[in-house]
Amino acid sequence: MEKEPITPQGLEKIKIELQERISVIRPKIVNAISEARAHGDLKENAEYHAAKEEQGHNERRIQEIETTIATANIVTGDFVSVKTPAGEKNYEIIEVKYI
């Protein structure tokens, strides 16, 4: 696997998201599936199908995050150099803040 550049702050953020998805979101989805299953016929049970779809999205995101962590190449400083098939590119590292 090719290493992907990530800042220490970015790595910490995705580790926090991973823990949230595993320890909070996953159990909520399992409970929602159990409750929907208790309502009976699963063929026409919209709550059940929605919960199963949400479960699939959550599990895919968990896999994406685990792959990102496994292939992380921690970068520090003001710029990072990334080798691509077209050559080497330099990128400025900036802090992105979400409001």
Side-chain angles (χ1 to χ4, degrees), residues 41-53:
D41 185 15
L42 299 181
K43 289 182 184 177
E44 296 182 17
N45 188 330
E47 291 174 357
Y48 174 78
H49 293 290
K52 289 296 282 184
E53 187 173 329

Side-chain angles (χ1 to χ4, degrees), residues 6 10 17-18 20 32 34 46 53 65 68 72-73 75 85-86 89 93 99:
I6 190 168
E17 180 184 351
L18 178 62
E20 171 86 6
S34 295
E53 187 173 329
I65 295 170
T68 299
N73 180 24
V75 295
K89 293 185 178 185
I93 297 176
I99 299 175

Side-chain angles (χ1 to χ4, degrees), residues 12-29:
E12 186 60 31
K13 286 179 184 179
I14 64 169
K15 283 182 177 181
I16 291 169
E17 180 184 351
L18 178 62
Q19 282 308 111
E20 171 86 6
R21 287 186 175 277
I22 290 172
S23 61
V24 177
I25 296 172
R26 185 185 275 166
K28 283 182 182 179
I29 294 170

Side-chain angles (χ1 to χ4, degrees), residues 54-67:
E54 185 178 355
Q55 182 183 41
H57 290 301
N58 189 56
E59 294 304 317
R60 277 188 292 283
R61 181 62 184 147
I62 288 171
Q63 288 177 346
E64 289 172 1
I65 295 170
E66 288 173 341
T67 299

